[in-house]
């Protein structure tokens, strides 16, 4: 039997029924167009699902590289403070979201010794995906911090918070009396995106603020929103928040494609 004939026979005998939209898979990592084998998934897709699920679990349980991140951020010329939420371990973090939103007593005492009065407070936390922060936080700050210096913003020491939730940035920033805060945090891992970093921004942060007061930039990672696009979007939202003196649902994203980060910040701050 010739090889083409053998291949044709194997193709004909395949039990897998391809999905008619399979050509769209080239545009996304999402689990689409999986095909079927009878009434079930093909074996390759079933194994792929188990691998993706394992990677998502690993992203949650991977250690937060706070020491390495602190060294890398200080190498960018910015002081770093290592803090922790009020949970005792990762298991409690997953079951007690309320404790993840509050600083531990030692961290709060440490923070209260710091100088106060800043334009911006940047917080970095592992959240639900340590991997996302370990991979994306430093490259983001490497591009973003020089923009804040060029714009003349006063920036508090970067605060690394282990086992933190989004709202913990409001407590940190309120102690430091910052006008605005942004937290870089690991998002809940998806099956095709275990390393997505989210960024939440709040103007006039205060303890007890709710989600409607925040703006979110999601899925910052390789294969998602690029670092450069995330930096540009955060700069736009910050500049608009300073101008309108608000954030969250009252601040709509109307960024033009040719927006230059902090190009109008002086006017927004009345300088």
């Amino acid at each position: 039997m010739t090889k083409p004939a053998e291949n044709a026979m194997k193709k004909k005998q395949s039990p897998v029924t391809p999905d008619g939209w399979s050509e769209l898979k080239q545009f996304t990592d999402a689990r689409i167009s999986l095909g079927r084998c009878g009434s079930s998934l093909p074996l390759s897709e079933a194994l792929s699902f188990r691998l993706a699920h394992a990677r998502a679990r690993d992203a949650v349980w991977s250690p937060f590289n706070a020491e390495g991140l602190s060294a890398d951020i200080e190498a960018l010329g910015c002081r770093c403070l290592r803090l922790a939420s009020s949970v005792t371990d990762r298991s409690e973090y997953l079951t007690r979201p309320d404790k993840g939103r509050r600083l531990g007593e030692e961290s709060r005492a440490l923070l209260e010794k710091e100088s106060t009065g800043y334009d911006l407070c940047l917080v970095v936390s592992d959240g639900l995906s340590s991997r996302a922060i370990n991979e994306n936080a430093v490259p983001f700050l490497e591009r973003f911090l020089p923009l804040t210096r060029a714009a003349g913003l006063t920036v508090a020491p970067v605060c690394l918070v282990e086992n933190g939730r989004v709202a913990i940035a409001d407590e940190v920033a309120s102690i430091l009396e910052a006008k605005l805060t942004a937290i870089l945090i690991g998002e809940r891992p998806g099956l095709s995106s275990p390393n997505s970093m989210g960024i939440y921004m709040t103007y006039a942060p205060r303890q007890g603020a709710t989600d409607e007061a925040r703006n979110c930039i999601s899925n910052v990672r390789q294969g998602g929103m690029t670092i450069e696009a995330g930096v540009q979007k955060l700069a736009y939202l910050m500049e608009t928040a300073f101008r309108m003196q608000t954030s969250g649902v009252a601040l709509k994203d109307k960024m033009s494609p040719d927006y230059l980060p902090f190009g109008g910040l002086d006017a927004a701050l009345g300088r």
Side-chain angles (χ1 to χ4, degrees), residues 58-81:
D58 284 349
V60 174
W61 289 98
S62 296
F64 182 38
N65 183 22
E67 184 173 351
L69 289 170
S70 176
D72 289 344
I73 291 170
E74 295 208 341
L76 299 176
C78 191
R79 273 188 69 211
C80 227
L81 298 175

Side-chain angles (χ1 to χ4, degrees), residues 9 19 24 29 40 56 72 98 103 138 157 161 166 170 173 185 237 261:
M9 179 170 288
D19 189 291
L24 297 178
D29 293 331
S40 302
D72 289 344
D98 56 321
L103 284 172
V138 170
V161 183
V166 170
D170 297 331
I185 191 166
L237 292 173

Side-chain angles (χ1 to χ4, degrees), residues 227-244:
I227 295 288
E228 290 76 13
V231 166
Q232 184 185 34
K233 184 67 71 179
L234 179 58
Y236 166 81
L237 292 173
M238 283 178 54
E239 187 176 322
T240 307
F242 279 126
R243 185 176 67 252
M244 298 177 62

Side-chain angles (χ1 to χ4, degrees), residues 3 24 90 93 98 112 116 126 147 179 203 232 245:
K3 193 165 184 177
L24 297 178
R90 195 66 171 165
Y93 171 79
D98 56 321
E112 288 174 343
T116 58
D126 46 3
L147 294 176
K179 296 176 184 173
Y203 182 82
Q232 184 185 34
Q245 298 187 1

